[in-house]
Amino acid sequence: VQLVEHGGGLVQPGGSLRLSCVASGFAFNTYVMGWVRQAPGKGLEWISHIAPGGIATSAADAVKGRFTISRDDAKNTLYLQMNSLKPEDTAMYYCAADIDCSNWATCPRGRGTQVTVSS
């Protein structure tokens, strides 16, 4: 399983970013995929996940209405569109694959991409 995230950076409050995650080494189109994040000094936090084919999604209350998860199974790519960003969204963002794991904290994930929201 290989997951490589892209798209992080520094953005002002209220701004937007789009993260992507390219997957390889497994049948991407058959697995639920998700995004998790870890803020400085805090534990891993589940943000959102999406079923194969994008037929169902779920998001944490903290990001609902601001973040949108999507996937392109033909490209083995997962996305996270983040709008109306807040300073509390500052974190390392990881994509994760729901492969043989009991919760998102234990699922295989990439190395992450840093998102910093600051003026």
Side-chain angles (χ1 to χ4, degrees):
V1 175
Q2 187 170 16
L3 302 165
V4 181
E5 300 93 340
H6 304 278
L10 173 64
V11 62
Q12 292 186 341
S16 298
L17 280 175
R18 189 192 196 203
L19 306 184
S20 62
C21 170
V22 179
S24 61
F26 65 104
F28 177 84
N29 62 341
T30 67
Y31 286 96
V32 174
M33 296 294 298
W35 288 96
V36 296
R37 68 185 180 186
Q38 187 164 26
K42 296 189 177 181
L44 209 60
E45 175 189 18
W46 166 76
I47 300 171
S48 186
H49 67 259
I50 184 168
I55 59 173
T57 64
S58 185
D61 288 344
V63 305
K64 202 170 291 184
R66 299 189 298 123
F67 291 11
T68 302
I69 191 171
S70 62
R71 63 192 294 163
D72 185 335
D73 286 348
K75 295 182 178 180
N76 284 6
T77 303
L78 179 71
Y79 301 99
L80 185 68
Q81 177 67 43
M82 306 187 295
N83 298 329
S84 302
L85 282 160
K86 304 175 181 180
E88 52 263 44
D89 294 318
T90 295
M92 186 71 79
Y93 283 71
Y94 303 89
C95 73
D98 187 6
I99 301 174
D100 295 331
C101 45
S102 55
N103 60 71
W104 285 105
T106 62
C107 291
R109 58 182 183 265
R111 292 188 174 185
T113 186
Q114 177 68 39
V115 172
T116 301
V117 185
S118 174
S119 55

